[in-house]
Amino acid sequence: MTLWFRRSTQVLMALGSLSLAAPAGAQDAAAAEELFNRGLADMGAGKYEAGCTALAESEQLDPQPGTLFTLAMCESRWGRVATAVTQLGNYLAWVERMSPAQRARQGHRPKVARDERERLASRVPRLSLALPEGAPPGTVVLRDGSPLGPASLGVALPVDPGEHRMSTRAPGGPVWEQRVTIAEGETKTLTLEIKLAPAPDAPAQPPALATSPATTQNQAPTAQTAPAAATAAKGWRTATYVTGGLGVAGLVAGGVMGALVIGKRSVVSEHCGSAIQASNPKSCDATGLDAAQSGNTMALVSTVSFGVGLTALGAAAVLGLTAPGRAAPASPSGTMWIRGTVLQVGPSGTVLGAQGRF
């Protein structure tokens, strides 16, 4: 083992380092010395992973320029060229801060460090990571367990050769891991994948219940139901107009037939006598009997027409009052109806009536 790997333990070197590093406790310094010696032995045996790990712990406990230089050379022999270049640069920056006397005690270490860094610079691989389009803000990106900020994405950063593990996590989503292998001197660009948070489950819709027109018209239409509600309202109005027209036609027909019945009544009175009864047609001549029979038929038609007309008008009124978008007046029973009624039919005339509840 060449002398420039050794960690100096001379008093002058220790005193000179006090101005360059934070002082370590006696126990830390002793532990750092032990770790350095063990790491140096492993390094000499070709056990670079164990040796570099021990040297790194020694440097953390008691930072010394000799330890940092030896650690950088160990990383270089281990093949972690990006880490070695970084540590060699840190060592050379430390040397620049030394006094001339301290720098002289470093011997030929600075020259070895510069030559080694120059030799490794072209062998450092670079890896560029990018999030996919549409990645939500706040997505966390880790490379080998270390977080990368937004400024580090899309930039070809130096990494050590070998396999690297990337993980991403969108806000509220699961962790998604990817692995990539990169060789010395290689440059790669990797678009990361992310898994978005699952969409919340839609609440279960209650089963549709049959509702009356009055209940339906009290419901405020939503953006989805507005076209259907408009179609329903149009159909409702059409039904109201048709039903109302049928009622008017029934009343007109009933009135016409009623007028004809009155005309037949005068014929019956002339040809059957003023006291004729419907059950005694023998006192009528043929003209009176025919007029009585026609009058009864017309009276029945008039009655039916009036009944249909009144019923249709009542239905039209109900449809109009309960149309979608219009509140229906409440009734004690919650229903509305109207019905035409025939009170009396006979030669002397027909009596009509109407019944209903509102």
Side-chain angles (χ1 to χ4, degrees), residues 43-128:
M43 179 181 170
K47 301 177 182 179
Y48 297 114
E49 182 175 1
C52 293
T53 301
L55 290 170
E57 292 183 13
S58 175
E59 174 65 16
Q60 289 178 354
L61 289 174
D62 184 16
Q64 295 291 336
T67 305
L68 181 58
F69 173 83
T70 306
L71 175 60
M73 299 304 294
C74 180
E75 296 284 6
S76 175
R77 294 189 177 187
W78 188 15
R80 291 161 50 95
V81 292
T83 302
V85 167
T86 299
Q87 290 170 341
L88 288 169
N90 292 337
Y91 168 75
L92 291 173
W94 194 338
V95 171
E96 290 296 324
R97 297 193 300 269
M98 293 180 180
S99 65
Q102 293 171 338
R103 192 178 303 120
R105 286 193 290 269
Q106 291 297 310
H108 56 279
R109 288 177 182 170
K111 181 179 184 306
V112 173
R114 282 190 291 270
D115 293 344
E116 185 70 7
R117 185 176 63 170
E118 183 178 353
R119 184 181 72 85
L120 296 177
S122 61
R123 296 168 52 186
V124 175
R126 294 181 176 272
L127 179 63
S128 176

Side-chain angles (χ1 to χ4, degrees), residues 53-345:
T53 301
L55 290 170
E57 292 183 13
S58 175
E59 174 65 16
Q60 289 178 354
L61 289 174
D62 184 16
Q64 295 291 336
T67 305
L68 181 58
F69 173 83
T70 306
L71 175 60
M73 299 304 294
C74 180
E75 296 284 6
S76 175
R77 294 189 177 187
W78 188 15
R80 291 161 50 95
V81 292
T83 302
V85 167
T86 299
Q87 290 170 341
L88 288 169
N90 292 337
Y91 168 75
L92 291 173
W94 194 338
V95 171
E96 290 296 324
R97 297 193 300 269
M98 293 180 180
S99 65
Q102 293 171 338
R103 192 178 303 120
R105 286 193 290 269
Q106 291 297 310
H108 56 279
R109 288 177 182 170
K111 181 179 184 306
V112 173
R114 282 190 291 270
D115 293 344
E116 185 70 7
R117 185 176 63 170
E118 183 178 353
R119 184 181 72 85
L120 296 177
S122 61
R123 296 168 52 186
V124 175
R126 294 181 176 272
L127 179 63
S128 176
L129 303 177
L131 287 172
E133 293 185 6
T139 298
V140 177
V141 178
L142 301 179
R143 188 189 68 192
D144 298 322
S146 299
L148 295 180
S152 299
L153 299 178
V155 180
L157 300 176
V159 294
D160 289 320
E163 185 181 75
H164 295 272
R165 175 174 52 88
M166 269 64 63
S167 61
T168 57
R169 183 173 185 178
V175 175
W176 180 257
E177 290 191 354
Q178 296 173 257
R179 295 179 182 271
V180 63
T181 301
I182 190 168
E184 285 190 4
E186 186 179 9
T187 298
K188 278 189 176 181
T189 298
L190 177 65
T191 300
L192 301 170
E193 297 182 23
I194 59 174
K195 293 293 182 181
L196 300 178
D201 295 334
Q205 297 294 330
L209 300 177
T211 57
S212 65
T215 302
T216 303
Q217 57 87 26
N218 286 329
Q219 298 175 351
T222 62
Q224 291 80 7
T225 60
T231 302
K234 183 177 180 180
W236 203 282
R237 289 194 300 270
T238 301
T240 302
Y241 297 151
V242 171
T243 306
L246 181 61
V248 173
L251 293 180
V252 171
V256 172
M257 287 298 174
L260 294 176
V261 169
I262 294 174
K264 295 293 182 180
R265 181 180 180 184
S266 62
V267 175
V268 170
S269 299
E270 181 180 351
H271 292 272
C272 295
S274 59
I276 186 172
Q277 301 295 327
S279 60
N280 185 24
K282 292 183 179 181
S283 60
C284 300
D285 56 20
T287 301
L289 184 60
D290 181 66
Q293 292 176 346
S294 298
N296 288 335
T297 301
M298 292 179 181
L300 179 60
V301 172
S302 177
T303 300
V304 173
S305 298
F306 271 113
V308 171
L310 290 173
T311 302
L313 286 178
V318 172
L319 290 173
L321 293 174
T322 60
R326 177 174 181 178
S331 63
S333 62
T335 60
M336 304 177 65
W337 56 271
I338 185 169
R339 181 176 63 196
T341 304
V342 179
L343 300 181
Q344 182 179 349
V345 179

